[in-house]
């Protein structure tokens, strides 16, 4: 293995296994990350924040991987490290009416394993609100809203890490100097002009999400949209800034600049966007609930003290109506403790709302026998609850309107389910979900001999893998759309829907979706249902980390079009010799058996 980066004595000792298995695995992943990014320097970091806590997102893959690390007596994080929101409030588990089997036990196991590694079990998606958390300087954070908030407002310097890469950085104390750790990559690339007054935090949430939705395929933004926003007041509240960055992160924004708030570097702007009264009104109209609401959630990201004060003020002297949806308010354990001391918690719970800690609306496994439609004041909640593992229709209104619905002052529609069996009910949605973008499928079968050269991960040794090819020209969303137990693609509209990757050499462009997705691949590996090898057209930050950590053969960046020259079902060979990886067709699938994906 030719290392692309010069290691110091400490780093080399970790890579050699002299500091234990956990740090060796972490350093191996960082070396691979450095190689794929083309950098030759590691920098020490001041803090880490880890995502991948809820059993809903991490699953068996996360639990088994953490158990493997925790079995190493030398496995301890090297720098102050905090933990993201868990999947439930264990103390109020029954009140959350979660029915997923063994969920509380698995949630407890995950938090306990992280704690054994020396991670501070904050169970919070707002580390920037915690006392004692280092939120400036080079870091490795893996929660999208926290990344965008820290990079934008606190002096934090972090990439959008995956759960696995952030953990590797935490164990070793280093990160490759690439991406947003290079000042040149922190320049703005989008100019947004706001021409209407924004006041409520929900207004800012809608703006942040709207910016991400405007992204065009021809924009060159390798690290995501980094907008400059003009037209906002200079005296924004903490809650307004938080709502803006949390929603902007929905579509990959790692940081933003508010014109006039602080100095900013010059940039190359891909486009100039205008957000005015018409756009704001249109989005509120599109997000307004037009069918029955069954649950109201506040606090995504977890509610600050300011948000708790605003909620308590709206609930003062009122009661959540028995004819209205339940109201759940999510916050951190630190903020809840303060709220209890100053009387805010008593007002909120006294009004009949549920005040939850240690969890967040987007990672809860709702019982969909009764949770059919959620109302929130957060575009972050709307984005994640409607997609992925929950897939529940979600509407958005301002906080005051959400509370008004909860106390019966504003009626949308009777929230209670019809007295009909679940199987007989139509699973309605507030708005039709957008169709999947069209994917090109070819009816032309590749023939004849084919061979191509590509790249591999520096940490992997020589290998030869032969097997059946699984091929699709569409990205694969591992979290939520790949069956964790079988490896079958379960995404209607995807050209490979219904096809299994298990036991095959999987060839696809790259992964898409959540940064917690590598744990899905790990679970498939632990269940014996993973692909024999993974081949991407470009480096995939979802597949590559799992392959690096567990030695699943991996290759990318080939000199020829592998997707259109290899057919599904062809017998192929993937071979690594030194630094070179070769893929070649051994036998074409017979015409009568051929199946296109």
């Amino acid at each position: 293995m030719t290392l692309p980066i010069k290691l110091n004595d400490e780093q080399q000792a970790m890579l050699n296994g002299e500091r234990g298995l956990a740090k060796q695995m972490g350093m191996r992943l960082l070396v691979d990350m450095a190689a794929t990014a083309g950098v030759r320097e590691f920098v020490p970091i001041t803090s880490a924040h880890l995502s991948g806590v809820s059993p809903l997102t991490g699953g068996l893959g996360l639990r088994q991987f953490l158990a493997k690390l925790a079995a190493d007596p030398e496995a301890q994080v090297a720098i102050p490290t905090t933990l993201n929101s868990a999947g439930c409030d264990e103390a109020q588990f029954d009140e959350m009416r979660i029915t997923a089997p063994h969920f509380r036990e698995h949630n407890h196991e995950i938090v306990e394993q992280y704690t054994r590694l020396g991670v501070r079990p904050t169970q919070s998606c707002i580390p920037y609100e915690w006392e004692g958390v280092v939120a400036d300087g080079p870091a490795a954070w893996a929660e999208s809203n926290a990344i965008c908030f820290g990079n934008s407002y606190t002096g934090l310097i972090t990439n959008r890490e995956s759960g696995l890469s952030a953990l590797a950085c935490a164990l070793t104390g280093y990160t490759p100097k690439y991406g947003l750790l290079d000042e040149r990559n922190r320049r703005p690339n989008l100019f947004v002009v706001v021409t209407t007054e924004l006041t409520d935090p929900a207004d800012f949430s809608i703006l942040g999400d709207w910016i991400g939705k405007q992204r065009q395929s021809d924009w060159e933004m390798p690290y995501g949209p980094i907008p400059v926003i003009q037209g906002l007041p200079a005296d924004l509240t903490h809650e307004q800034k938080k709502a803006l960055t949390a929603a902007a992160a929905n579509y990959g924004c790692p940081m933003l600049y508010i014109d006039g708030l602080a100095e900013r570097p010059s940039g190359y702007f891909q486009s100039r966007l205008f957000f005015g009264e018409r756009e704001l009104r249109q989005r509120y109209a599109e997000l307004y609930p037009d069918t029955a609401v069954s649950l109201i959630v506040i606090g995504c990201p977890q509610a600050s003290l300011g948000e708790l004060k605003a909620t308590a003020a709206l609930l003062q002297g009122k009661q959540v109506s028995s004819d209205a949806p339940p109201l759940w308010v999510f916050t951190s354990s630190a903020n809840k403790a303060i709220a209890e001391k100053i009387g805010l918690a008593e007002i909120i719970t006294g009004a009949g709302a549920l005040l939850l800690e240690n969890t967040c609306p987007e990672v809860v496994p709702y019982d969909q026998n009764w949770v059919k439609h959620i109302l929130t004041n957060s575009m972050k909640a709307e984005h994640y609850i409607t997609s992925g593992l929950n897939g529940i229709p979600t509407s958005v209104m301002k906080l005051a309107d959400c509370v008004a619905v909860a106390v019966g002052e504003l009626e949308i529609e009777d929230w209670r389910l019809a007295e009909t069996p679940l199987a007989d009910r139509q699973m309605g949605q507030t708005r039709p979900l957008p169709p999947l973008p069209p994917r090109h499928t070819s009816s032309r079968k590749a023939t004849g001999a084919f061979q191509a050269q590509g790249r591999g991960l520096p940490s992997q040794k020589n290998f030869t893998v032969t097997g059946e090819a699984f091929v699709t020209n569409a990205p694969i969303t591992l979290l939520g759309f790949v069956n964790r137990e079988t490896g079958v693609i379960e995404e209607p509209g995807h050209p490979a829907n219904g096809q299994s990757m298990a036991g095959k050499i999987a060839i696809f462009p790259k992964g898409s979706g959540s940064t917690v997705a590598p744990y899905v691949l790990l679970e498939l590996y632990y269940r014996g249902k993973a692909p024999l090898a993974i081949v991407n057209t470009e480096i995939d930050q979802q597949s590559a980390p799992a392959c690096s950590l567990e030695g699943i053969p991996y290759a990318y960046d080939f000199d020829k079009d592998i997707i259109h020259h290899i057919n599904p079902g062809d017998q192929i060979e993937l071979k690594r010799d030194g630094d070179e990886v070769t893929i070649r067709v051994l036998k074409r699938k017979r015409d009568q058996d051929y199946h296109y994906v």
Side-chain angles (χ1 to χ4, degrees), residues 4 31-39 452-460 463 506-510 533-541 543-545 547 552-560 562 574-576 579-583:
V31 168
D32 286 340
M33 289 168 57
T36 58
V39 299
Q453 311 299 129
R455 301 172 62 189
L457 300 176
S459 68
Q460 295 192 339
F463 57 72
I507 303 173
F508 56 98
K510 63 186 300 185
I534 291 182
V535 179
N536 295 137
T537 55
E538 57 182 294
I539 188 67
D540 178 19
Q541 296 300 338
S543 302
C547 292
I552 302 170
Y554 181 83
Y556 69 103
D557 193 22
F558 284 81
D559 59 357
K560 297 176 184 176
I562 55 175
L574 184 70
K575 182 176 182 178
R576 176 167 183 158
D579 292 335
E580 191 171 83
V581 180
T582 302
I583 192 168

Side-chain angles (χ1 to χ4, degrees), residues 128 219 348 478 505 552:
Y128 46 83
W219 290 357
I348 293 171
L478 290 168
I505 299 176
I552 302 170

Side-chain angles (χ1 to χ4, degrees), residues 350-371:
L354 195 60
L355 183 58
L356 300 165
E357 63 181 333
N358 295 335
T359 185
C360 183
E362 66 180 77
V363 293
V364 172
Y366 300 99
D367 179 1
Q368 296 190 33
N369 283 302
W370 71 274
V371 181

Side-chain angles (χ1 to χ4, degrees), residues 86-129:
C88 65
D89 180 338
E90 292 185 13
Q92 300 187 84
F93 186 81
D94 293 339
E95 289 85 345
M96 296 183 74
R97 294 187 261 175
I98 293 173
T99 58
H102 310 295
F103 193 86
R104 177 161 47 183
E105 293 87 346
H106 291 165
N107 189 86
H108 186 81
E109 175 189 340
I110 290 169
V111 175
E112 187 176 67
Q113 296 285 28
Y114 275 121
T115 305
R116 288 180 182 175
L117 296 175
V119 178
R120 182 181 177 186
T122 49
Q123 300 175 69
S124 173
C125 55
I126 50 172
Y128 46 83
E129 291 186 9

Side-chain angles (χ1 to χ4, degrees), residues 284-300:
Y284 271 123
E286 292 168 347
L287 294 161
Y288 189 86
D290 54 13
T291 62
V293 171
S294 45
L295 176 65
I296 302 170
V297 298
I298 302 299
C300 186

